[in-house]
Amino acid sequence: MRKVTLAKNAGFCFGVKRAVDEAIKTQREYNKKIYTLGPLIHNNDVVNYLEDNDIYAIDINDIENLNSGDVILIRSHGVSKEVFDLLTDKGLIVINATCPFVTNIQKKVNKFSNEGYKIVILGDKNHPEVIGINGWCNNEAIVTKDGKIIEDLPNKVCVVSQTTEKEENWNITINNLNNKVSELKQFNTICAATEERQSSVLELSKTVDFMIIVGGKNSSNTTKLYEIAKENCKNTIHIENAKELPQSLIDDSSINTIGVTAGASTPDWIIKEVIEVMEGK
């Protein structure tokens, strides 16, 4: 009998659930089309669900087409101070659904850059969360993807992390900075939900024949879960939903134990569907 095990911590995190709930609530409150700046979350199924509820993602360049009184929602990744000011100056009704953990990072970099610290961000320079954080310190942060820092640094440095980073990358970053800087303010801002998902997948992937990681292909935290699982279980795949499950896997009776986890932007119903297909229900 095939056994399918869901990781202890999987799926929607607090910040993402809060943003989705806020979007639905806002649309009902204003009872008209509302907009999100960029896709609300990195999950195509959820984006389609939101469109069915009259909630549409737009690009920053589309802002000029909006009118005073239109409603726009800032997603959980947050935005730069410049973008925030642009939205309010245009007379839009701005609903700020930035994850509180991300807001905390924005406040920290703003405070310490104003106090003369050079800001270092561990993360992906192209990720909206990192772009937003950098926008709270005049876009002057050094962004490192892997903890290696080749730039010359002043004596005073403040370092933070993208919320979905790996703990090992944070440790590398701190070791490198300690060797270069005399005064280091360090704030490990990897979100607890990220740590919990990563440690859960680490444990589960050591005990199963096959791992299925469910989440958006462009979701940073889901990709990290895939990388961690793959290190321990070479039979690991990353899918967006049950439709992407290979038929060969569904039919393979030699695979007895399957582990499933999901990124922070994957809703419960998508996870449930994947488990049911793999259990043969």
Side-chain angles (χ1 to χ4, degrees):
M1 179 69 183
R2 180 184 279 171
K3 183 172 180 239
V4 182
T5 306
L6 177 64
K8 200 163 74 197
N9 296 288
F12 265 7
C13 68
F14 158 77
V16 169
K17 184 175 185 318
R18 178 176 172 270
V20 173
D21 290 349
E22 191 67 39
I24 298 289
K25 185 178 123 214
T26 301
Q27 195 283 327
R28 288 191 180 138
E29 189 180 319
Y30 287 92
N31 198 23
K32 63 177 182 177
K33 184 187 280 193
I34 71 162
Y35 304 93
T36 67
L37 193 52
L40 188 61
I41 63 176
H42 288 150
N43 186 292
N44 292 328
D45 294 281
V46 177
V47 169
N48 293 337
Y49 164 76
L50 291 169
E51 286 185 357
D52 290 343
N53 283 275
D54 231 8
I55 299 162
Y56 291 88
I58 60 167
D59 193 67
I60 188 74
N61 302 323
D62 301 325
I63 297 298
E64 59 200 43
N65 301 327
L66 298 185
N67 301 310
S68 177
D70 281 344
V71 182
I72 191 155
L73 186 125
I74 295 172
R75 57 191 177 167
S76 55
H77 297 120
V79 294
S80 66
K81 185 175 187 316
E82 187 184 7
V83 169
F84 194 85
D85 292 345
L86 173 76
L87 300 177
T88 47
D89 290 350
K90 193 157 170 51
L92 302 174
I93 297 167
V94 180
I95 309 294
N96 190 354
T98 304
C99 173
F101 298 123
V102 176
T103 303
N104 173 42
I105 306 172
Q106 293 174 348
K107 286 178 176 166
K108 279 188 166 49
V109 302
N110 189 244
K111 174 182 189 289
F112 285 100
S113 67
N114 287 337
E115 290 176 15
Y117 286 79
K118 183 71 179 173
I119 304 296
V120 172
I121 305 169
L122 167 66
D124 171 4
K125 69 178 193 303
N126 298 316
H127 192 280
E129 182 190 314
V130 173
I131 293 167
I133 292 165
N134 198 3
W136 289 86
C137 56
N138 302 315
N139 297 307
E140 289 170 358
I142 292 170
V143 181
T144 172
K145 183 168 65 81
D146 51 12
K148 298 191 182 87
I149 295 151
I150 48 171
E151 292 87 346
D152 288 333
L153 291 166
N155 285 330
K156 290 168 64 171
V157 167
C158 168
V159 57
V160 296
S161 172
Q162 184 177 337
T163 53
T164 52
E165 257 305 335
K166 285 189 197 163
E167 203 64 45
E168 64 186 90
N169 288 346
W170 174 256
N171 295 334
I172 292 166
T173 309
I174 297 305
N175 286 338
N176 289 338
L177 286 172
N178 276 331
N179 294 330
K180 292 185 169 201
V181 175
S182 56
E183 189 183 337
L184 181 65
K185 296 273 186 201
Q186 51 176 287
F187 299 98
N188 181 345
T189 49
I190 298 173
C191 167
T194 299
E195 287 181 62
E196 287 162 6
R197 276 161 189 69
Q198 291 181 1
S199 59
S200 291
V201 78
L202 181 68
E203 294 310 311
L204 183 58
S205 59
K206 290 173 181 171
T207 66
V208 293
D209 301 329
F210 205 101
M211 276 298 300
I212 301 169
I213 316 297
V214 191
K217 290 281 157 63
N218 54 349
S219 157
S220 161
N221 74 86
T222 308
T223 305
K224 301 276 191 323
L225 295 176
Y226 171 76
E227 288 166 1
I228 292 166
K230 187 87 174 162
E231 280 171 25
N232 299 295
C233 177
K234 66 178 193 307
N235 296 320
T236 296
I237 59 169
H238 175 182
I239 60 170
E240 290 211 344
N241 52 42
K243 293 189 198 80
E244 293 186 3
L245 284 166
Q247 194 60 44
S248 56
L249 170 61
I250 297 167
D251 298 339
D252 192 339
S253 56
S254 69
I255 299 171
N256 297 316
T257 54
I258 295 173
V260 176
T261 192
S265 47
T266 310
D268 292 348
W269 50 273
I270 290 181
I271 304 169
K272 189 162 171 268
E273 203 176 337
V274 168
I275 292 171
E276 284 176 354
V277 171
M278 292 317 299
E279 285 179 339
K281 287 183 180 167

